[in-house]
């Protein structure tokens, strides 16, 4: 699996398909974050923004390879392992992007009502939620689950918005908790961060399992 992920990562980087989502995310971060802001609020913004861009990165990773080359890899390693490698590549890329954004927020941010350990932990948890849920949305709205590009893009946007806006959704819970902590102090790490991370991990694994199962059964 390490070799598959390494190959897929090299393929993604050389294709430059990662540039639009990465540059788009960076631009919106620059526009939305100001120096001296409360770090928790900036971390909430970074995590909420990262979710749809992670789904976009998943679409890039699973469609970057020409059909003929992908067929050769599938015949050698199996469709399930190849698709799993593409999903892991997108997750790793999004995680690096999220960590870079969190670092920028913490460096540029002002003093927080919480200690640095709490702020860092809350930001890391929010980033994990965004990456996991973005990967889940991307896996279910990209090939081979949804072959049609336009429908997949609409499904990706709709899924990301629902996870961010519907009360009780993990992304909504963690972003709201960070915003509340920025305004009033006191972040509930257990219920407001760790629980959403755990739920997001379950959803991401389930979505990846569905996508890989479909990849193993459906010829693209």
């Amino acid at each position: 699996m390490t070799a598959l992920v390494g190959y897929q990562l090299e393929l993604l980087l050389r294709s430059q398909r990662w540039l639009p989502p990465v540059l788009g995310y960076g631009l919106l971060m620059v526009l939305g974050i100001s120096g001296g802001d409360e770090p928790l609020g900036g971390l909430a913004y970074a995590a909420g923004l990262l979710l749809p861009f992670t789904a976009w990165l998943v679409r890039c990773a699973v469609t970057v390879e020409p059909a003929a080359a992908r067929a050769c890899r599938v015949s050698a390693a199996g469709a399930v392992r190849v698709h799993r490698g593409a999903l892991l590549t997108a997750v790793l890329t999004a995680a690096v992007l999220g960590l870079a954004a969190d670092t920028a927020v913490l460096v540029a941010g002002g003093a927080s009502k919480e200690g640095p350990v709490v702020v860092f932990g809350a930001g890391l948890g929010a980033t994990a939620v965004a990456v996991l849920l973005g990967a889940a949305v991307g896996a279910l709205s990209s090939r081979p689950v949804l072959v049609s590009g336009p429908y997949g893009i609409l499904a990706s946007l709709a899924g990301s918005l629902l996870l961010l806006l519907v009360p009780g959704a993990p992304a909504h819970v963690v972003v709201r908790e960070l915003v509340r902590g920025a305004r009033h102090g006191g972040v509930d790490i257990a219920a407001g961060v760790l629980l959403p991370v755990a739920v997001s991990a379950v959803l991401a694994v389930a979505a990846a399992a569905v996508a890989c199962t479909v990849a193993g059964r459906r010829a693209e």
Side-chain angles (χ1 to χ4, degrees):
M1 183 55 67
T2 302
L4 285 173
V5 173
Y7 171 80
Q8 188 75 30
L9 184 59
E10 181 182 359
L11 194 66
L12 180 62
L13 293 176
R14 292 178 62 182
S15 73
Q16 298 185 352
R17 288 196 180 188
W18 56 273
L19 278 174
V22 170
L23 292 179
Y25 181 75
L27 177 61
L28 291 176
M29 283 295 298
V30 170
L31 294 176
I33 300 296
S34 300
D37 287 347
E38 221 290 350
L40 285 174
L43 292 170
Y45 175 80
L49 194 62
L50 182 61
L51 199 160
F53 280 94
T54 298
W56 188 354
L57 283 168
V58 170
R59 292 187 61 82
C60 294
V62 301
T63 59
V64 66
E65 193 171 22
R70 183 180 176 89
C72 291
R73 279 210 302 150
V74 167
S75 64
V80 173
R81 296 185 72 238
V82 168
H83 198 70
R84 188 184 299 133
L87 295 178
L88 287 174
T89 299
V91 167
L92 290 174
T93 305
V96 171
L97 184 61
L99 289 174
D102 289 350
T103 302
V105 169
L106 294 174
V107 170
S112 175
K113 299 180 178 68
E114 300 292 336
V117 175
V118 173
V119 172
F120 177 77
L124 193 63
T127 297
V129 169
V131 170
L132 290 168
L133 292 181
V137 170
L140 297 178
S141 60
S142 303
R143 77 176 192 185
V145 179
L146 283 181
V147 179
S148 174
Y151 289 123
I153 293 171
L154 291 175
S156 176
L157 290 173
S160 299
L161 288 175
L162 286 174
L163 289 170
L164 287 167
L165 298 178
V166 173
H172 179 84
V173 170
V174 73
V175 169
R176 184 186 61 183
E177 183 63 25
L178 265 62
V179 171
R180 188 190 65 79
R183 292 176 177 174
H184 308 293
V187 178
D188 187 347
I189 294 293
V193 179
L194 294 181
L195 182 59
V197 170
V199 175
S200 300
V202 172
L203 293 175
V205 170
V210 170
C212 290
T213 299
V214 174
R217 295 180 179 179
R218 179 184 296 175
E220 299 183 53

